[in-house]
């Protein structure tokens, strides 16, 4: 069934059906903080040694007006050419999808790759690009022995360094409020080592125009996006890199205004100052996400008189996010708490390789010192995979 609305225009004795442009909440938009790409290993062995390749797996959500027969198509591009493509069925009106590339045709490309997402409208027989991820596939190494020789084979995984500078706040709704108010949920990204990521009594400390507000509890949940282990030999240390997406709900922040609050207990908490209503504090916000007195990230954003976080300038410059999701600025302390950090990558792009486009985005970034690297140089004499360089 077509979801494209129409207008009927009278021309003489004829009625001509004209398509009406879809509203913003109807157009399919890839949810960038609910979508992830990972690589799955496909290993074989012959007389020449171990051969290793990978398949691409994608899990995510498309927001908008969704039809059950529609699909998401992913083109895996190397050097501007399509190396393979596959489609994901959409699971219900929520727009969720989960699928992988052909297991019988694995890839060995590494370097600069692209994942081009398109929305396939079954009723209209159309395929519309909705997002392009400019990714880096890293080449990591493991060892094996043939006789007395220690040999190496490549393992491929994504290096998602640019995501560490990408964060979103979501305006949620709750039964405690009318439709014009609700809670906030933050999404951010970190890079950890072999011990993984573990929350340690995080808090969110916000100020508005330099005036400090009451701290919020902000312990996150996490989702592992990509993990790579580089192990060069039986006596070598393992080099483990893990990229996580974190999400947390500040314990005492409510978006909206006084008129939108329908819960008497909540009103009393706002009066006491134990609950912070964004509509009471319009202006420029700066929030330090802290862990045992140290700052993990600083989030910056503007709150309007309507009590909502205002869209970031990048959203006017082409960054499409689902309704209710807003990009927020991210800065780092000098000593970044992540185990791995590439300030050059964070400064260049965000949200899976999208170049920063709005004036002022890069100049507003405060970047800490580099930590890493995530990807090491190949072992001497080791070969494997097809390198793809950025065009």
């Amino acid at each position: 069934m077509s979801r494209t609305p129409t207008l009927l225009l009278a021309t003489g004795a004829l009625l001509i059906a004209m398509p009406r442009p879809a509203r913003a909440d109807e157009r399919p938009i890839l949810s960038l903080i609910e979508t992830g790409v990972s690589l799955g290993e496909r290993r074989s062995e012959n007389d020449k040694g171990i051969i290793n390749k990978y398949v691409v797996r994608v899990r995510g959500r498309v927001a908008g007006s969704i039809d059950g027969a529609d699909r998401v198509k992913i083109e895996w591009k190397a050097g501007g050419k399509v190396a393979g493509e596959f489609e994901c069925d959409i699971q219900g009106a929520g727009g969720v999808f989960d699928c992988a590339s052909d297991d019988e045709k694995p890839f060995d490309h590494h370097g600069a790759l692209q994942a081009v997402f398109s929305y396939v409208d079954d009723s209209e027989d159309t395929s519309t690009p909705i997002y392009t991820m400019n990714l880096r596939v890293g080449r990591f190494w493991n060892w094996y022995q043939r006789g007395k020789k220690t040999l190496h084979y490549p393992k491929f995984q994504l290096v998602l360094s640019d995501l560490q500078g990408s964060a979103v706040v979501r305006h949620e709704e709750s039964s405690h409020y009318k439709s014009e108010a609700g809670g906030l949920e933050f999404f951010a990204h970190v890079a950890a080592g072999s011990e993984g990521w573990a929350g340690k009594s995080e808090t969110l400390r916000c100020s508005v125009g330099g005036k400090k507000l009451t701290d919020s509890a902000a312990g996150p949940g996490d989702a592992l996006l990509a993990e790579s282990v580089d192990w060069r030999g039986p006596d070598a240390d393992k080099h483990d890199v893990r990229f996580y997406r974190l999400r947390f709900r500040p314990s005492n922040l409510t978006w909206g205004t006084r008129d939108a609050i329908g819960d008497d207990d909540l009103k009393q908490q706002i009066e006491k100052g134990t609950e912070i209503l964004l509509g009471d504090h319009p202006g420029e916000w700066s929030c330090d996400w802290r862990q045992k007195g140290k700052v993990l990230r600083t989030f910056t954003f503007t709150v309007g008189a309507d009590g909502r976080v205002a869209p970031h300038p990048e959203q006017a410059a082409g960054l499409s996010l689902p309704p209710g999701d807003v990009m927020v600025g991210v800065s780092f302390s000098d000593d970044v708490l992540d185990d791995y950090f590439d300030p050059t990558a964070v400064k260049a792009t965000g949200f899976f390789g999208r170049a920063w486009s709005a004036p002022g985005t890069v100049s507003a970034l405060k970047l800490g010192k580099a930590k890493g690297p995530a990807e090491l140089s190949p072992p001497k004499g080791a070969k494997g995979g097809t390198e793809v360089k950025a065009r």
Side-chain angles (χ1 to χ4, degrees), residues 11-333:
T11 305
L14 298 177
L15 285 176
I16 302 176
M18 300 291 291
R20 175 176 65 80
R23 298 193 312 268
D25 59 352
E26 295 175 337
R27 294 193 297 268
I29 298 174
L30 188 68
S31 176
L32 299 177
I33 45 86
E34 294 173 282
T35 299
V37 180
S38 61
L39 308 183
E41 186 176 9
R42 294 297 180 266
R43 187 172 63 180
S44 61
E45 189 170 359
N46 57 30
D47 293 341
K48 295 182 180 180
I50 291 179
I51 299 172
N52 202 32
K53 297 186 178 184
Y54 64 88
V55 295
V56 181
R57 183 169 187 179
V58 179
R59 296 174 178 175
R61 185 177 75 88
V62 173
S65 181
I66 306 298
D67 190 279
D70 295 346
R71 303 172 302 281
V72 174
K73 181 176 73 173
I74 296 96
E75 294 177 314
W76 193 245
K77 287 190 172 183
K81 298 180 179 179
V82 178
E85 66 178 47
F86 54 102
E87 290 189 351
C88 305
D89 292 331
I90 295 176
Q91 302 166 16
V96 175
F97 58 91
D98 182 350
C99 62
S101 61
D102 190 346
D103 198 65
E104 300 300 319
K105 297 179 180 179
F107 307 102
D108 69 351
H109 305 91
H110 63 96
L113 278 293
Q114 285 186 324
V116 180
F117 288 73
S118 297
Y119 191 85
V120 180
D121 187 322
D122 188 76
S123 63
E124 300 291 335
D125 288 325
T126 58
S127 178
T128 305
I130 56 175
Y131 201 77
T132 296
M133 294 183 177
N134 296 298
L135 302 169
R136 176 166 182 79
V137 174
R139 189 172 55 163
F140 305 87
W141 300 89
N142 209 331
W143 64 276
Y144 65 104
Q145 288 186 309
R146 283 281 177 95
K148 296 182 179 181
K149 290 185 176 181
T150 298
L151 304 175
H152 299 91
Y153 66 91
K155 302 178 72 173
F156 304 96
Q157 192 51 267
L158 294 172
V159 179
L160 300 174
S161 299
D162 79 309
L163 285 183
Q164 289 168 268
S166 304
V168 163
V169 64
R170 170 169 290 173
H171 298 81
E172 295 188 314
E173 296 183 5
S174 170
S175 58
H176 289 295
Y177 321 108
K178 299 177 183 178
S179 60
E180 295 84 14
L184 293 175
E185 186 170 28
F186 283 76
F187 296 81
H189 301 84
V190 300
S194 58
E195 295 184 1
W197 175 263
K200 300 176 182 177
S201 304
E202 290 88 347
T203 58
L204 191 69
R205 177 171 295 176
C206 295
S207 61
V208 186
K211 181 181 178 181
K212 179 181 175 297
L213 304 176
T214 305
D215 287 0
S216 308
D222 62 69
L224 180 63
L225 296 181
E227 178 182 13
S228 59
V229 178
D230 192 308
W231 190 20
R232 304 295 176 96
D235 299 322
D237 293 332
K238 293 182 179 180
H239 181 75
D240 196 343
V241 184
R242 306 179 189 186
F243 291 95
Y244 291 90
R245 177 176 294 136
L246 308 183
R247 59 194 298 174
F248 65 89
R249 296 177 176 88
S251 59
N252 62 348
L253 294 185
T254 298
W255 67 269
T257 61
R258 296 286 181 118
D259 294 341
I261 305 301
D263 184 277
D264 290 337
D265 289 340
L266 183 59
K267 288 180 180 178
Q268 291 179 10
Q269 294 176 38
I270 293 170
E271 292 294 342
K272 293 177 182 178
T274 54
E275 187 75 18
I276 299 169
L277 183 65
L278 268 64
D280 289 347
H281 304 278
E284 301 302 315
W285 283 55
S286 178
C287 296
D288 289 341
W289 191 29
R290 296 158 54 86
Q291 185 183 83
K292 291 188 175 182
K294 297 182 178 180
V295 178
L296 281 164
R297 300 285 189 273
T298 297
F299 304 114
T300 54
F301 49 90
T302 302
V303 171
D306 60 354
R308 295 180 66 98
V309 179
H312 192 280
E314 285 292 332
Q315 292 175 254
L319 176 65
S320 294
L321 299 177
D325 288 1
V326 176
M327 174 184 161
V328 295
V330 180
S331 289
F332 302 80
S333 58

